[in-house]
Amino acid sequence: MADEHKHEESLPNSDPAVEIVERESLMEKISEKIHHKGDSSSSSDDESDKKPSSLKSKVYRLFGRERPVHKVLGGGKPADIFMWKNKKMSGGVLGVATVAWVLFELMEYHLLTLLCHVMIVTLAVLFLWSNVTMFIHKSTPKIPEVHIPEEPLLQLASGLRIEINRGFSSLHDIASGRDLKKFLSALFGLWILSILGGGCSFLTLAYIALVLLFTVPLVYDKYEDKVDSYGEKAMAELKKHYAVLDAKVLSKIPRGPLKDKKKD
C-alpha cells in the first residue's frame, strides 16, 4: 500500500516542460494536416475551375460569336424589344408593323392618304367631343401630350450607324480584292436578294426581316447549344466543299495586290 501511494504521488510531479513540448508537437502535426488538406482542396478547386473554362473556350459558337445574343443586337431597349423582355412593347411593335403591312401591301393603301384620313378622323372626334362637353356642362377631355423619347432613338441610330459602317468596311475589303470568301458570300447574298426582290415588294421584304428579328434571336437564345452543334457540322461540310473548289478553280484566278496593314 505504501508503494502504491508513493507511485501515485510521483505522477503529478512529472516535468511540465516535457508536457508543453509534446503538446506543441501535437498541435504542429494537426496544423500541418489541416494546411495539407486546404492546399489539396484549393488545388482541386483550381483544376475544376480551369476545366470548365478550357471547355468553354473550345465550344463552337455560330459565326464566331463571343457575346450573348442580347449584346449582339446592341443591348438596351431595342434589344429588349427583339428578345421579348418587355412583352407588351414587343407585341405592340410587331402588331403595328403587321397592321401597316396589311394596309399598305394587301389593301394597297398609300401612306399619305392613310395619314391624312387618320388625322381627319382624330381631329374631328376630338373637336366635337370638346364642344359637346361644354353644352352638357362636363369637363373637357384631357388630351395627352405626345412626344418621342430621345434615348431609344439615339440608341437605335447608334446601332444602325455601327452596322452601316461595318457593312461599308466589308464592301471596301471586297472591292479591294483582299478576301475571296467575302467576295463570294457577297455575290451569293446579292443574288438571293435579287430573286426575293423579283417575287415580292420591298415592304414585304422589310416585314419579313422584322418578323425574323422578333423570332430567330429568341429561338436561337433558347436552343443555343443545339443550333451551335448543327452549325459546327454544317460549317465543317462547307469548308470541305470550299477547299475542293479552291484547289480546282479559285486558286487559279488572279487576285489584286495585297496591301500591308498598318501596324499601330
Side-chain angles (χ1 to χ4, degrees):
M1 292 294 292
D3 294 337
E4 291 179 359
H5 183 69
K6 289 180 181 179
H7 180 68
E8 289 177 358
E9 289 179 353
S10 63
L11 288 175
N13 293 329
S14 59
D15 191 359
V18 176
E19 293 181 358
I20 293 172
V21 172
E22 290 178 354
R23 289 177 184 177
E24 289 179 354
S25 61
L26 181 61
M27 293 298 293
E28 288 177 358
K29 291 180 181 179
I30 294 172
S31 62
E32 286 178 0
K33 289 182 179 180
I34 293 173
H35 287 302
H36 180 68
K37 290 181 179 180
D39 294 337
S40 61
S41 62
S42 62
S43 61
S44 61
D45 292 338
D46 293 337
E47 291 177 357
S48 62
D49 291 339
K50 289 179 182 178
K51 287 181 181 179
S53 62
S54 61
L55 290 175
K56 287 181 180 179
S57 61
K58 295 180 181 179
V59 173
Y60 174 83
R61 293 302 179 192
L62 200 62
F63 305 115
R65 180 179 58 84
E66 297 179 356
R67 298 181 298 170
V69 180
H70 189 270
K71 295 294 183 182
V72 173
L73 294 175
K77 291 184 179 180
D80 291 340
I81 293 174
F82 292 136
M83 295 298 296
W84 293 83
K85 301 293 184 181
N86 188 348
K87 294 183 179 180
K88 291 183 179 180
M89 182 69 71
S90 302
V93 172
L94 188 58
V96 170
T98 303
V99 170
W101 178 74
V102 170
L103 288 174
F104 295 131
E105 187 66 21
L106 299 183
M107 299 179 66
E108 296 183 353
Y109 235 100
H110 296 287
L111 178 60
L112 183 60
T113 304
L114 177 64
L115 290 176
C116 292
H117 287 176
V118 170
M119 292 297 295
I120 288 170
V121 173
T122 304
L123 291 176
V125 169
L126 292 175
F127 180 81
L128 292 176
W129 190 6
S130 300
N131 285 279
V132 168
T133 53
M134 294 175 62
F135 289 104
I136 61 177
H137 302 288
K138 287 188 176 182
S139 60
T140 58
K142 295 180 180 180
I143 302 173
E145 295 183 0
V146 180
H147 65 280
I148 300 174
E150 182 179 4
E151 185 178 355
L153 285 180
L154 291 177
Q155 290 179 353
L156 180 61
S158 178
L160 287 176
R161 181 185 63 82
I162 293 172
E163 295 300 326
I164 290 172
N165 289 334
R166 189 178 298 172
F168 284 153
S169 178
S170 298
L171 291 175
H172 182 270
D173 292 340
I174 292 169
S176 300
R178 297 177 181 176
D179 196 335
L180 187 59
K181 291 183 180 180
K182 287 184 178 180
F183 173 72
L184 294 176
S185 301
L187 290 183
F188 181 74
L190 292 173
W191 179 62
I192 295 296
L193 283 177
S194 65
I195 294 174
L196 294 175
C200 56
S201 64
F202 176 77
L203 183 62
T204 301
L205 284 177
Y207 179 70
I208 292 173
L210 185 66
V211 173
L212 291 176
L213 276 175
F214 275 93
T215 53
V216 173
L218 182 66
V219 175
Y220 174 69
D221 187 63
K222 188 175 182 180
Y223 303 101
E224 182 177 3
D225 296 332
K226 293 182 180 180
V227 174
D228 287 338
S229 63
Y230 288 123
E232 185 178 7
K233 295 177 182 177
M235 288 300 296
E237 293 296 327
L238 287 176
K239 287 180 179 179
K240 290 180 182 178
H241 293 296
Y242 178 79
V244 174
L245 182 65
D246 187 27
K248 293 182 178 180
V249 180
L250 301 180
S251 60
K252 300 177 181 180
I253 299 175
R255 303 181 185 180
L258 295 176
K259 296 180 179 180
D260 295 333
K261 296 182 179 179
K262 295 181 179 181
K263 297 182 180 179
D264 295 334

